[in-house]
Amino acid sequence: MRLRIEMDVKPSEMAATDRLTECLAITNLPSVVVTHMLSFLSWEDKLNVIIAIPQWCSCFRAVAAWKCVEYGNEMDENMYFLKEKRTKFLFCIKQYGKYMRSIKLIFGSKLSHMAIKIMHAVSEFCSHLTYFHIGQEVPLQVDESLVWRKSVVNGICSILQNCNQLNSVSICQPVIDWTESPDNNIILNIIQQGLAHKITNLELNAESLWEHEGYQDFLKNFTHLKRLVTRRENITDEILLVLAQHKLEEVTLVQEEEIPLQQQEHLKEGFWTKVLNICPTFQIDMILRYIMVIKDSFPAMMPLRKLILDDLVNIVTKGVLEHLTENYKDCLEHFTYTNSLLENYETGDRRLPSSLVNMAMKCTKLRSLQYGFPLSSTSILLLARARKLEKLLIQAVEVSYEYDWQTDPNWSSEFVAWLKASGKNERTLELAVSEILGFKWKLSYDPFTLDEQLNTMYM
């Protein structure tokens, strides 16, 4: 049997419904609402919206619609479509550049003619810019085509010269060949043109220092630098102290080779005491790879915020980890110890799990911990209970499901039973840790690659 329902709708009610539908139409939204919505869209989505809803065109002519413009992800693009993407972005800059106050450009391939045109368009059409960031994503294999030469240098310098309202400028991972003339060197050219004081964030990786010899004394010219990322082997007490006396607030030092004995005397306890007297909020991040680390690698008073240890030539011992905890219990926020080379299957110091738990308990600011060596489910549960971390990254392949701790006299029989029950398999472990940390926590099955973390840090 079919049930039929007929509704008797009066003409007046239908008219009212039509008027309500018309009022709720997307094209009738208040401009202030539309502008706010547009501010959350990427520049590409904005261009698509213009085509889809031409009635909103006037809403794009507002500063609020272009709060932060980010161009990037080129390494994820098909190379055949890259020119089209850059062409669209160039159009976007020319049409709406005068409403933009913040632009972030991250190129993933050669800075060709179209990339240069984008830079000159920023210089010409974005006169009210207050924040500018330009960076280079570096692939695994770098060739000469990625070197920033004269045309790129001129394009960046024109932005620094013409955008008079800039108060924050980042240059990230420029690819520089230091054997070439200063015209092809963005760092030296900025210094020669008297523009170094405009740079607030400078990030130099290995490709930024091709064939550079000696210390980076040129850094002393960057008197308004707030953040610096560079190689440890090229830095001295004098250079960092000069920068700290100006504006520098944080530094990231990357060390991937052993340094001479005489240079190891730099950045010791006395130096950090001087820096903290100048800037009490100073912070340092350290990334150490392919080298040997000992207690002397980590002096007292160093305001260490993040420490990444990867692919070391020696094993971090319980003594070193306890030394780190004691020295940096009031400042350490992120700690990573792993081996990203899959062919290495080191077991690490078997006493480290207890030291890790001790670190989590004593380092009051610790927010993230990543460990890439064998760890029992009991150790993971104790880590989670020691501190409510925002990030706890453990690879599933390293986990054993066993109760391998000596029972503490202060542990109740109920707590021991909970440790054993919660750590008996992957599912119970993940559920227990999720409940402790307050978010859905899972063991990682993805191979850990430090390069991704470094790129995130640089960018």
Side-chain angles (χ1 to χ4, degrees):
M1 182 176 67
R2 180 180 297 175
L3 180 64
R4 182 178 179 184
I5 300 176
E6 294 184 0
M7 298 182 63
D8 185 16
V9 182
K10 297 178 181 179
S12 60
E13 293 176 343
M14 291 181 63
T17 302
D18 291 341
R19 286 195 298 273
L20 179 60
T21 303
E22 183 180 344
C23 290
L24 293 176
I26 195 169
T27 54
N28 291 331
L29 288 174
S31 60
V32 65
V33 174
V34 175
T35 302
H36 184 68
M37 291 167 55
L38 293 174
S39 69
F40 294 100
L41 300 180
S42 68
W43 66 270
E44 290 175 289
D45 288 338
K46 285 185 176 73
L47 294 184
N48 291 332
V49 168
I50 294 173
I51 297 171
I53 314 174
Q55 295 92 333
W56 283 4
C57 280
S58 60
C59 298
F60 286 83
R61 302 186 186 98
V63 173
W66 301 90
K67 286 186 178 179
C68 183
V69 179
E70 295 190 10
Y71 175 89
N73 299 319
E74 283 195 348
M75 293 183 72
D76 298 329
E77 296 280 347
N78 187 312
M79 289 297 296
Y80 293 104
F81 302 117
L82 189 55
K83 183 177 180 181
E84 179 184 356
K85 179 175 180 175
R86 290 183 175 183
T87 302
K88 286 182 179 179
F89 187 67
L90 177 62
F91 168 82
C92 186
I93 293 293
K94 289 183 176 180
Q95 287 291 113
Y96 303 103
K98 64 181 177 181
Y99 306 109
M100 299 176 185
R101 299 295 180 269
S102 173
I103 293 180
K104 187 173 184 178
L105 305 178
I106 301 176
F107 296 99
S109 61
K110 178 183 177 181
L111 274 64
S112 59
H113 178 65
M114 189 56 66
I116 307 303
K117 292 182 71 172
I118 289 173
M119 294 179 208
H120 286 290
V122 170
S123 173
E124 181 179 353
F125 295 96
C126 304
S127 56
H128 300 293
L129 211 58
T130 59
Y131 171 82
F132 176 67
H133 174 114
I134 183 166
Q136 177 81 52
E137 284 186 292
V138 181
L140 294 177
Q141 293 186 342
V142 182
D143 57 50
E144 287 193 5
S145 68
L146 293 176
V147 174
W148 291 16
R149 292 196 166 85
K150 185 175 181 179
S151 57
V152 178
V153 172
N154 291 341
I156 295 173
C157 287
S158 68
I159 294 172
L160 300 182
Q161 291 168 335
N162 297 336
C163 299
N164 297 322
Q165 298 181 33
L166 283 172
N167 55 41
S168 182
V169 178
S170 297
I171 297 181
C172 181
Q173 298 188 107
V175 183
I176 305 172
D177 185 345
W178 287 77
T179 64
E180 297 191 6
S181 70
D183 288 343
N184 295 325
N185 188 313
I186 183 63
I187 300 298
L188 297 181
N189 207 275
I190 284 176
I191 293 171
Q192 289 179 358
Q193 296 196 41
L195 300 169
H197 67 282
K198 292 197 172 186
I199 311 302
T200 56
N201 179 33
L202 184 60
E203 305 180 8
L204 306 174
N205 61 0
E207 285 71 29
S208 305
L209 298 165
W210 266 350
E211 301 298 332
H212 180 275
E213 296 181 359
Y215 298 128
Q216 297 174 30
D217 289 310
F218 60 82
L219 289 172
K220 297 175 186 177
N221 295 278
F222 293 86
T223 54
H224 283 69
L225 210 57
K226 293 182 178 179
R227 181 173 180 267
L228 171 67
V229 177
T230 191
R231 313 297 292 184
R232 165 69 178 88
E233 56 267 25
N234 303 116
I235 287 295
T236 64
D237 288 356
E238 181 191 8
I239 295 171
L240 272 189
L241 199 60
V242 168
L243 294 175
Q245 288 169 340
H246 290 292
K247 300 285 184 179
L248 194 67
E249 298 172 352
E250 58 182 278
V251 62
T252 297
L253 298 181
V254 181
Q255 184 178 347
E256 296 180 335
E257 59 183 60
E258 302 291 352
I259 57 178
L261 184 62
Q262 62 181 29
Q263 193 180 342
Q264 293 177 19
E265 296 306 312
H266 290 284
L267 311 186
K268 293 299 185 180
E269 180 178 349
F271 167 77
W272 291 114
T273 301
K274 293 178 183 178
V275 169
L276 291 174
N277 285 335
I278 296 169
C279 179
T281 58
F282 196 94
Q283 295 176 313
I284 176 173
D285 299 336
M286 294 189 70
I287 302 168
L288 308 180
R289 307 178 73 187
Y290 319 135
I291 64 171
M292 178 178 291
V293 297
I294 56 177
K295 289 182 180 180
D296 286 348
S297 306
F298 308 103
M301 299 305 293
M302 182 169 65
L304 186 64
R305 176 180 58 182
K306 175 182 287 187
L307 177 61
I308 297 176
L309 306 174
D310 180 63
D311 291 330
L312 300 177
V313 300
N314 67 322
I315 294 175
V316 173
T317 63
K318 181 176 184 288
V320 169
L321 203 59
E322 291 179 348
H323 175 79
L324 288 171
T325 300
E326 186 61 32
N327 275 353
Y328 311 122
K329 59 181 180 293
D330 297 322
C331 58
L332 188 64
E333 298 181 21
H334 310 272
F335 177 68
T336 293
Y337 177 38
T338 190
N339 191 320
S340 60
L341 294 179
L342 296 179
E343 61 267 25
N344 282 343
Y345 292 96
E346 296 179 12
T347 59
D349 189 330
R350 294 183 181 276
R351 301 171 298 168
L352 282 191
S354 62
S355 298
L356 278 177
V357 174
N358 183 56
M359 172 182 279
M361 291 177 61
K362 291 186 176 180
C363 293
T364 58
K365 292 185 178 181
L366 192 68
R367 295 190 289 121
S368 77
L369 191 150
Q370 183 165 339
Y371 189 69
F373 297 92
L375 205 60
S376 70
S377 56
T378 304
S379 299
I380 296 173
L381 290 166
L382 293 173
L383 269 174
R385 283 177 57 86
R387 186 159 305 281
K388 199 166 185 177
L389 300 168
E390 296 173 10
K391 178 181 177 182
L392 175 60
L393 187 56
I394 308 293
Q395 288 186 310
V397 70
E398 301 288 0
V399 179
S400 60
Y401 298 94
E402 57 182 327
Y403 179 76
D404 62 344
W405 277 60
Q406 184 175 356
T407 301
D408 190 297
N410 296 321
W411 292 353
S412 66
S413 57
E414 290 82 3
F415 180 62
V416 173
W418 175 82
L419 285 173
K420 292 179 178 179
S422 299
K424 64 182 180 181
N425 57 48
E426 180 177 321
R427 180 178 176 276
T428 57
L429 176 63
E430 291 180 341
L431 286 174
V433 174
S434 296
E435 184 177 356
I436 296 170
L437 297 183
F439 59 85
K440 189 175 182 179
W441 182 83
K442 304 283 285 184
L443 290 168
S444 175
Y445 278 88
D446 297 325
F448 173 67
T449 57
L450 189 64
D451 290 330
E452 293 178 3
Q453 188 163 340
L454 290 177
N455 282 331
T456 302
M457 178 178 283
Y458 285 139
M459 292 298 163

